């Protein structure tokens, strides 16, 4: 047999070599071979004759070259606990205690042992070792910056060429911070605007409360509401709709394409608005009696009410000029990424009006004590209320000037309008004019019918059922829309315009879907909250109006569910405006206005006078249901047949499914509390708290079971911010 050759090892140990001419390992005749001395330990030969030189139990130690090149990031080794303990070589493997189940495609890993069971090279600890593969090291190699040498300055003179001046080492500029993702940027902008809108709405409600406390919610307030609604209607009809819908994309394009960042275009637009609204305001003030007769033939039929309404209109109509200035300055700031000013400055307007009507209460007494009406109000009282209303809008618009200076915008009048794109914008705005005209015609019809119904109902002893109830309920009903949907879409609209300009239909679709789903998380529960808790909301807010506040609550309940299509319509129409398509929104608004006016007329003629305005409020939401169906199909076709409808519908369906039981429980709780405590301020507050807690608890429980993704994301974001 061939024995292992051991001659070199014997010589290396100092033993005698074999006789010359004798084969190695052959015994010399007649000589007893001495016992081989024990070999000394060789530090450079370790386990050279191990029976398992490649240690098959640890696959990562088979080959040192493979160990270096093995990319553990792409192919990580099994986690601790999956290697078997070293056992006898060639022994049959033990049957696994946790065998795979062929019926399950993703196997459950076996339980982790108490201690580490992996044998890693170099004595690494299995529970704390982190593997970094070659791909990760190569990929992140460029990100690693060498550490500065603290002694470089001692040898700086030796590094320069002979005779060359010694230059100071340049200080490295700080690395620019990476821009935040679009979602976080939108959330930040939306949160800023939502905060301003919330404060504005809260002060707006305080304003309505003070107005109701000063002049009530009956016919005198109806006259003030008609006069105060006129400037808003005319402003939106003349240019407000075009400013909001058409000129934002134009400002964005001017900022992107013009050398001056769109400053000249913005100044031309501002000059055009000032000139146009100045002329229109002068004409409208002179034609105030005609507008009052057009808005309400019922008021025009009473000479005393007509005189008071016209006096209010003379002070209120000039506010349209300041509305236009405020809006165009706000859109200039929005195009430059400054969203807060336009949402926060209306707070100043509300404060001025609150102070004005507070002064009226101080001078003439509250409505419950004075019982003021069109026949008893003094000219000084009308003048005080009118001047305060005008002053509020003036302060609101002038407060934008410091924000413009802070943004670096230099405002100056420019009359060189021709050849600078304003003609194109005017061509687009003509459809927006028709859009607003159709909307305002429907509003005029509703105002006429609601004023007539309120006058007839008050003669029967049911106050608070006219246009004042309609407007006050509408103001409360639109609060979630203004806080959530408008804030989200105001931040999204400039980016939608850029995506539409670049022809990126997928980005437009994603932003529309994001706006719909994100706003729905708050809009849908609020709609059901108005339906279930409308009466305690109104009786608490307008407790100073007495029993008439209950009728406002009924109107608010009728508005309730219409908030969902109203919000969807707003978001969908932003997609058309991004493509500079104003014709489609016009046709859509004609449909909405026609349905609203037609159903409102049916409600006026078919329902009793006390419930006519309630039916008109329901007609408002029904019109938007029809309008959403038409606008959705048109926008879907515009974006190539894909509007992420399945994802959006799934979100809305789950939210509505979670809100239905919540609204039933909340309504029952509020009704029970009011039956016990009454409909006064205390009873309304208790009913609202009980119903609100019930609605929130049931909704969150149902939504959690339905796994609504957008709600979970919002709750996680709120928790994260509260935890900081």
């Amino acid at each position: 047999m061939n024995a292992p050759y051991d001659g070199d090892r014997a010589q290396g140990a100092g033993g005698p070599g074999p006789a010359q001419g004798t084969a190695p390992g052959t015994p010399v005749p007649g000589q007893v071979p001495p016992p081989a001395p024990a070999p000394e330990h060789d530090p450079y030969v370790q386990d050279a004759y191990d029976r398992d030189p490649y240690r098959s139990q640890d696959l990562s130690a088979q080959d040192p070259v493979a160990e270096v090149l093995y990319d553990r990031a792409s192919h990580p080794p099994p986690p601790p606990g999956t290697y078997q303990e070293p056992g006898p070589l060639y022994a049959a493997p033990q049957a696994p205690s946790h065998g795979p189940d062929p019926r399950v495609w993703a196997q459950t890993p076996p339980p982790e042992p108490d201690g580490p069971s992996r044998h890693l090279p170099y004595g690494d600890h299995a529970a704390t070792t982190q593997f970094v593969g070659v791909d990760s090291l190569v990929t992140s190699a460029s990100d690693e910056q060498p550490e500065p040498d603290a002694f470089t300055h001692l040898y700086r003179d030796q590094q320069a060429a002979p005779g060359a001046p010694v230059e100071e080492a340049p200080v490295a500029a700080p690395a620019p911070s990476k821009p935040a993702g679009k979602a976080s940027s939108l959330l930040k902008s939306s949160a800023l605007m939502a905060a301003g809108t919330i404060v504005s709405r809260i002060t707006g409600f305080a304003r309505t409360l003070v107005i109701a406390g000063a002049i009530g919610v009956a016919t005198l307030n109806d006259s003030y509401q008609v006069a105060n609604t006129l400037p808003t209607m005319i402003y939106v009809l003349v240019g407000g709709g075009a400013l909001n819908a058409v000129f934002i994309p134009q400002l964005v394009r001017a900022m992107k394409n013009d050398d001056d960042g769109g400053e000249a275009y913005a100044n031309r637009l501002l000059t055009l608005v000032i000139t146009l609204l100045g002329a229109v305001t002068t004409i409208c003030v002179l034609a105030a009696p005609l507008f009052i007769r057009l808005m309400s033939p019922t008021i025009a039929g009473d000479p005393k009410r007509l005189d008071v309404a016209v006096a209010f209109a003379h002070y209120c109509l000039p506010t349209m000029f300041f509305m236009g200035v405020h809006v165009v300055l706000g859109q200039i700031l929005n195009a430059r990424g400054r969203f807060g000013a336009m949402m926060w400055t209306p707070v100043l307007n509300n404060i001025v009006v609150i102070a004005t009507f507070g002064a009226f209460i101080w001078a003439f007494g509250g409505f419950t004590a004075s019982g003021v009406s069109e026949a008893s109000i003094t000219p000084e009282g009308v003048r005080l209320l009118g001047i305060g209303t005008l002053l509020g809008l003036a302060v609101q618009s002038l407060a934008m000037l410091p924000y413009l200076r802070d943004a670096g915008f230099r405002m100056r009048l420019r009359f060189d309008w021709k050849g600078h794109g304003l003609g194109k914008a005017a061509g687009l705005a003509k459809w927006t004019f028709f859009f607003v005209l159709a909307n305002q015609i429907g509003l005029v019809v509703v105002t006429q019918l609601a004023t007539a119904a309120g006058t007839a109902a008050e003669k029967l002893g049911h106050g608070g059922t006219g246009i004042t109830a309609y407007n006050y309920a509408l103001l409360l009903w639109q609060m979630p829309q203004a806080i959530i949907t408008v804030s989200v879409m105001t931040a999204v609209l400039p980016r939608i315009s850029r995506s539409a300009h670049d022809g990126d239909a997928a980005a437009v679709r994603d932003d529309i879907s994001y706006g719909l789903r994100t706003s729905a998380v708050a809009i849908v529960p609020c709609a059901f909250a108005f339906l279930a808790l409308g009466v305690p909301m109104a009786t608490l807010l307008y407790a100073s109006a007495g029993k008439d506040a209950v009728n406002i609550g009924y109107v608010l309940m009728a508005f309730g569910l219409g908030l969902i299509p109203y919000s969807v319509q707003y978001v969908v129409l932003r997609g058309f405006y991004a493509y500079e398509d104003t014709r489609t929104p016009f046709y859509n608004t004609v449909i909405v206005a026609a349905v609203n006016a037609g159903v409102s007329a049916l409600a006026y003629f078919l329902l009793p006078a006390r419930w006519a305005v309630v039916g008109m409020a329901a007609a408002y939401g029904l019109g938007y249901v029809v309008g959403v169906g038409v606008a959705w199909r048109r926008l879907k076709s515009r974006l190539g047949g894909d509007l992420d409808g399945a994802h959006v519908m799934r979100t809305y369906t789950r939210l509505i499914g979670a809100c239905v039981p919540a609204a039933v429980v909340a309504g029952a709780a509020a009704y029970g509390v009011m039956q016990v405590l009454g409909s006064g301020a205390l009873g309304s507050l208790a009913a609202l708290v009980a119903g609100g807690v019930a609605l929130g608890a049931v909704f969150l429980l149902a939504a959690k079971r339905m796994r609504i993704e957008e709600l979970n994301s919002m709750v996680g974001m709120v928790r994260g911010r509260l935890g900081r």
Side-chain angles (χ1 to χ4, degrees), residues 529-554:
F530 289 138
L531 178 63
L533 306 174
V535 172
M537 287 182 187
T539 53
L540 176 63
L541 292 174
Y542 304 107
S544 60
K547 63 178 182 177
D548 296 342
V550 177
N551 295 323
I552 301 177
Y554 293 144

Side-chain angles (χ1 to χ4, degrees), residues 315-337:
Y315 293 104
C316 293
L317 282 171
T319 60
M320 77 174 70
F321 174 82
F322 296 103
M323 289 181 191
V325 173
H326 176 263
V327 169
V328 70
L329 295 181
Q331 301 299 7
I332 293 173
L333 289 172
N334 287 349
R336 285 161 170 75

Side-chain angles (χ1 to χ4, degrees), residues 372-409:
V372 64
S373 63
E374 293 91 340
S376 59
I377 190 172
T378 62
E380 292 79 11
V382 174
R383 189 179 306 115
L384 173 62
L385 300 181
I387 293 177
T389 303
L390 175 59
L391 183 61
L393 265 298
V395 172
Q396 173 180 316
S397 60
L398 296 177
M400 302 290 289
L401 298 180
Y403 291 96
L404 286 172
R405 287 196 298 267
D406 183 65
F409 179 78

Side-chain angles (χ1 to χ4, degrees), residues 154-221:
L154 300 177
Y155 306 99
R156 189 176 300 151
D157 56 343
Q158 302 178 14
Q159 296 173 0
V166 178
E167 298 180 356
E168 293 291 334
V171 180
S177 59
K178 295 182 179 180
K182 68 178 183 179
S184 62
S185 177
L186 287 175
L187 287 175
K188 182 178 179 180
S189 300
S190 301
L192 176 63
M193 290 183 295
T197 306
I198 290 173
V199 177
S200 175
R201 291 290 174 168
I202 291 175
T203 54
F205 282 125
R207 182 178 73 172
T208 61
L209 296 178
V210 176
I211 293 175
I215 60 177
V217 293
T219 54
L220 176 59
N221 204 337

Side-chain angles (χ1 to χ4, degrees), residues 497-562:
S497 301
R498 297 186 188 97
S499 300
H501 180 69
D502 297 336
D504 191 353
V508 175
R509 177 204 61 208
D510 293 342
D511 287 334
I512 294 293
S513 174
Y514 168 82
L516 288 170
R517 292 181 288 105
T518 303
S519 59
V521 174
I523 291 297
V524 175
C526 287
F528 281 88
F530 289 138
L531 178 63
L533 306 174
V535 172
M537 287 182 187
T539 53
L540 176 63
L541 292 174
Y542 304 107
S544 60
K547 63 178 182 177
D548 296 342
V550 177
N551 295 323
I552 301 177
Y554 293 144
V555 177
L556 181 59
M557 292 177 63
F559 272 117
L561 296 183

